[in-house]
Amino acid sequence: YVVVSTSPGCAAAKNATTTVPILCISVQEDPVAVGLATTLAQGKGNLVGVHSFLPDGVTQQLAMLKTLKPGLHTLGVLFNPRNDTHVRVLSEWQSAVAKEGLAIVPLAASASTDLDEALSRAKASKVQLAIGLLGADTYAMRKEIAEIATSRDLPIVMDTPGGYTQLGGVATIGVDIVPLYRKSAVEQMVPMLKGIPPSQIAWIGPTKVTMNVNNEVAKRFGLQQIR
């Protein structure tokens, strides 16, 4: 079998073979909506996997951001304009924030060299708090994001785990996919290695968003400390 990552990677593998078992990981889209599954209760043909999609994920995240920053009125969203998933999720944030009567400022950054300009725009727009969208691109910049957030005195929460708070980041608010990978190893990978077809194995996905706060950093930014 083969293991592939991201929605586009899984789609490419699906189009490449109908016989080799495929285990997809890090699927950020709704697997049913993008054609990777007919139902999450079982794989589709030779493909099954792990996804991080939650229908109300952005709503949950926004509620947690408002807990972290009471009186929040202007939110920044750090995203990669070259990432199709980021563009889609940004539109979800725009809709969710508008329903709450808040202002939103998109902060485009495709590489770490774009961060300074993005933070300058955030400060000029009076952004109080920003969230960086989940993805390998923003994940690779997490140390730089934590550092520029501190130097520019603008708290940036990340929509990803992966040690961001240990690197000096203020918080992560999103789906913790690592436990889902562990579950996948037991409930998907092992059965597939034993010859069970993906069509007889269920997709694995999250049930909620989680928040992890570096209270020392939150205190420096004047944010709520979460116990």
Side-chain angles (χ1 to χ4, degrees):
Y1 71 93
V2 295
V3 178
V4 291
S5 180
T6 75
S7 302
C10 290
K14 177 176 175 288
N15 292 333
T17 177
T18 59
T19 56
V20 178
I22 300 169
L23 178 61
C24 292
I25 61 173
S26 297
V27 174
Q28 291 176 254
E29 312 283 350
D30 176 353
V32 175
V34 296
L36 296 176
T38 302
T39 170
L40 297 179
Q42 62 188 63
K44 183 177 183 179
N46 61 323
L47 181 150
V48 74
V50 181
H51 70 91
S52 60
F53 176 77
L54 275 172
D56 64 341
V58 169
T59 301
Q60 289 188 43
Q61 287 175 294
L62 182 55
M64 291 180 179
L65 288 169
K66 292 171 70 177
T67 298
L68 195 60
K69 178 65 178 180
L72 178 66
H73 58 71
T74 305
L75 175 71
V77 178
L78 185 67
F79 76 107
N80 181 356
R82 299 177 183 174
N83 183 319
D84 290 342
T85 299
H86 279 201
V87 173
R88 176 188 62 77
V89 175
L90 174 62
S91 68
E92 293 182 11
W93 274 100
Q94 289 169 323
S95 297
V97 167
K99 289 177 183 176
E100 295 286 332
L102 309 178
I104 187 168
V105 180
L107 305 171
S110 300
S112 56
T113 51
D114 300 324
L115 291 174
D116 192 63
E117 182 178 347
L119 269 286
S120 294
R121 182 174 183 223
K123 297 294 283 188
S125 302
K126 302 188 184 305
V127 167
Q128 301 166 285
L129 181 66
I131 183 167
L133 300 188
L134 175 66
D137 30 30
T138 43
Y139 181 85
M141 296 189 286
R142 65 196 188 284
K143 186 173 187 295
E144 290 88 346
I145 292 171
E147 290 172 348
I148 197 168
T150 298
S151 66
R152 289 300 194 96
D153 192 30
L154 176 66
I156 302 177
V157 173
M158 290 297 290
D159 179 11
T160 179
Y164 180 63
T165 52
Q166 287 81 8
L167 292 170
V170 65
T172 58
I173 298 178
V175 169
D176 186 354
I177 202 167
V178 174
L180 303 183
Y181 291 154
R182 297 188 183 119
K183 186 176 182 182
S184 170
V186 175
E187 297 182 9
Q188 294 176 324
M189 187 176 296
V190 170
M192 288 171 68
L193 287 172
K194 291 181 177 180
I196 296 175
S199 59
Q200 295 180 22
I201 301 171
W203 276 80
I204 291 174
T207 57
K208 64 180 180 179
V209 164
T210 59
M211 176 164 61
N212 180 35
V213 179
N214 183 325
N215 281 325
E216 182 179 341
V217 178
K219 184 178 180 180
R220 289 205 301 267
F221 280 125
L223 301 176
Q224 291 292 313
Q225 297 174 62
I226 308 298
R227 302 297 178 186

